[in-house]
Amino acid sequence: MLRRARDFVLDILRQADLLLLALCCGAALFGIVMIASATNYMGTPRYVIVQFCATVLGVGLYFLVSLLDMGELSKKWKWIFLFNILFILLLKTPFGVDDGTGNRAWLKFPFLPVSIQPAEIIKMTFVLLLAKQLAWLKEERDLRSVSSIGMLAGHLLFMVGVYYVISGDMGSALVYIFIFACMCFAARVATRWFVMGLAGGSFAFYLLWELDFISGYMKDRFLTLFDHNLDPQGVSWHQNRSLLALGGGKLTGQGLFQGTQTQSEQSWSLPARHTDFIFSVIGEELGMLGCLLVIALLAAIIIRCLVIAKNAKSRMDAYICVGIAGMLIFQTIINIGMCLFIMPVIGLTLPFISYGGSSVVTLFAAMGMVSGVQKRSMPEWLRK
């Protein structure tokens, strides 16, 4: 019995992409250390414990998801699509809670010690369904036709529309749009459709702005990018403190657990330091070198996803890898841009680094999807 269990575990380890796992674990462990520093002033290890447990659970899911055949799973696309809708609709039930910014983007169940963000989980199923749709249209129809583009756009607009109307979470909605663009680019959708989509999206944003469908607070988050002195004690406060933290770290930083703002309990200190602005904590305590290390780690994970996409045996598998890489690219650019005061604050965390149990678990599961693609691209004799 023990021998069978050992052989089973060894088989899983042999088939999983251990390089990708090592990169993800390295980033996650680095994140745990920085979360420990960012929450040290609170005097509680709760955040570190939650993040560590989420990482352990995520690693387990990485191996489990690696064993799944996404092609077979995608045949249940109707049920997966129904799951996406019902999961989002749960936000309208008493289980849906406000995240503190006016967005109803979290689920809090009495039998769970932590909250769950549906947007994080649905990212994976959205990528899977979109990959299947793109592969089917590529093989059975013509991606250049109006009807095909209409089907793709309808899928995106329905998912993003339902999620945004219910949750009000613009940041996650934008992630879905970027994932969609990356996967369509990989499928070689004609450039004219991207131009038309960008023009249409810009016009829609203008109308939403002018008709006041975008809240005044969110408008200010965009306007302050062009005037950093706009409401310095209010909407600009977070990012102004972020710039001070990054500048205070210089090249090598002030030292781990030694950051002036990071370790301060004062109200003037860096806010959201273990979530949205953890990159600023890294800059203050580990300096530019620490920031470059994080960027290098995340870039290596993204490049590994794209390499696996290039070697994938099927279109659908390749599109899955590209979609997940796109998710990482967008969240990384936006989060770091938020900290540098060149992007609006829209609540996107730094992948693997920021605090967030559901985010870390989902990221490892998504990497498991990529690992599964790598396994299926191996020669048959290596998979046995």
Side-chain angles (χ1 to χ4, degrees):
M1 186 70 178
L2 289 175
R3 185 173 182 178
R4 286 183 180 179
R6 184 197 65 185
D7 291 342
F8 177 71
V9 171
L10 290 175
D11 187 53
I12 292 176
L13 290 173
R14 182 167 57 86
Q15 294 189 43
D17 189 331
L18 297 182
L19 174 58
L20 179 61
L21 178 62
L23 290 171
C24 294
C25 286
L29 291 174
F30 184 88
I32 290 172
V33 172
M34 297 315 304
I35 290 168
S37 180
T39 59
N40 181 55
Y41 76 100
M42 299 180 183
T44 173
R46 177 183 180 275
Y47 298 97
V48 175
I49 292 172
V50 170
Q51 193 77 355
F52 178 79
C53 291
T55 300
V56 172
L57 177 59
V59 171
L61 280 177
Y62 178 92
F63 288 114
L64 180 61
V65 176
S66 293
L67 299 176
L68 300 178
D69 188 328
M70 293 297 116
E72 290 297 318
L73 186 61
S74 68
K75 293 178 181 178
K76 308 292 183 183
W77 65 270
K78 293 180 181 178
W79 292 104
I80 297 172
F81 184 76
L82 180 62
F83 165 80
N84 287 350
I85 302 304
L86 293 178
F87 204 31
I88 292 173
L89 290 177
L90 278 177
L91 292 170
K92 296 297 288 183
T93 70
F95 297 120
V97 295
D98 194 311
D99 64 359
T101 63
N103 298 334
R104 197 177 181 87
W106 293 85
L107 292 171
K108 178 62 178 176
F109 298 106
F111 52 85
L112 290 177
V114 294
S115 300
I116 297 174
Q117 190 174 14
E120 294 293 337
I121 296 171
I122 294 173
K123 282 175 189 174
M124 292 192 303
T125 49
F126 175 74
V127 167
L128 175 61
L129 293 183
L130 183 58
K132 179 177 177 61
Q133 186 180 32
L134 282 167
W136 181 78
L137 289 172
K138 188 83 171 178
E139 294 166 5
E140 304 295 333
R141 302 183 65 169
D142 185 358
L143 267 180
R144 293 173 294 180
S145 68
V146 175
S147 61
S148 295
I149 299 301
M151 290 173 65
L152 290 168
H155 183 182
L156 172 69
L157 293 175
F158 181 78
M159 286 300 301
V160 170
V162 168
Y163 178 75
Y164 181 68
V165 168
I166 290 177
S167 71
D169 181 6
M170 180 181 289
S172 294
L174 291 175
V175 175
Y176 287 101
I177 294 173
F178 189 81
I179 290 172
F180 176 85
C182 290
M183 294 176 70
C184 286
F185 180 81
R188 298 185 181 180
V189 171
T191 304
R192 65 177 180 274
W193 294 113
F194 288 99
V195 174
M196 292 173 64
L198 182 61
S202 300
F203 181 68
F205 183 78
Y206 171 76
L207 285 180
L208 292 172
W209 185 286
E210 291 297 321
L211 296 175
D212 290 329
F213 282 103
I214 298 176
S215 66
Y217 186 71
M218 183 58 70
K219 285 183 178 180
D220 287 342
R221 288 184 174 184
F222 284 94
L223 293 174
T224 191
L225 298 178
F226 305 98
D227 181 5
H228 289 188
N229 292 319
L230 176 68
D231 192 13
Q233 298 298 316
V235 71
S236 301
W237 173 260
H238 292 60
Q239 289 170 291
N240 281 325
R241 303 313 300 179
S242 173
L243 287 181
L244 286 174
L246 286 167
K250 299 183 181 178
L251 181 63
T252 57
Q254 298 175 11
L256 194 62
F257 291 88
Q258 300 295 323
T260 302
Q261 289 196 73
T262 301
Q263 303 305 321
S264 174
E265 300 179 24
Q266 302 301 317
S267 59
W268 50 261
S269 303
L270 179 69
R273 64 192 78 170
H274 61 299
T275 52
D276 292 0
F277 291 95
I278 198 164
F279 187 77
S280 303
V281 171
I282 296 169
E284 182 177 60
E285 297 199 334
L286 302 181
M288 182 184 291
L289 294 180
C291 292
L292 291 175
L293 173 61
V294 171
I295 294 172
L297 267 174
L298 295 175
I301 295 171
I302 292 166
I303 291 170
R304 183 59 181 166
C305 290
L306 295 176
V307 168
I308 293 174
K310 183 177 181 295
N311 297 326
K313 279 195 169 182
S314 71
R315 285 191 177 97
M316 195 186 87
D317 281 347
Y319 299 155
I320 286 173
C321 295
V322 170
I324 292 171
M327 174 184 72
L328 295 175
I329 291 170
F330 187 76
Q331 288 191 212
T332 300
I333 291 175
I334 294 296
N335 182 271
I336 293 176
M338 283 163 44
C339 295
L340 294 175
F341 214 159
I342 58 175
M343 292 288 181
V345 177
I346 54 176
L348 291 182
T349 55
L350 191 60
F352 292 105
I353 309 297
S354 295
Y355 172 77
S358 58
S359 174
V360 169
V361 169
T362 303
L363 283 168
F364 271 101
M367 295 302 109
M369 294 172 68
V370 177
S371 175
V373 171
Q374 167 67 7
K375 181 190 74 173
R376 290 189 294 277
S377 66
M378 293 179 182
E380 189 65 28
W381 63 273
L382 278 177
R383 287 188 276 160
K384 293 183 177 179

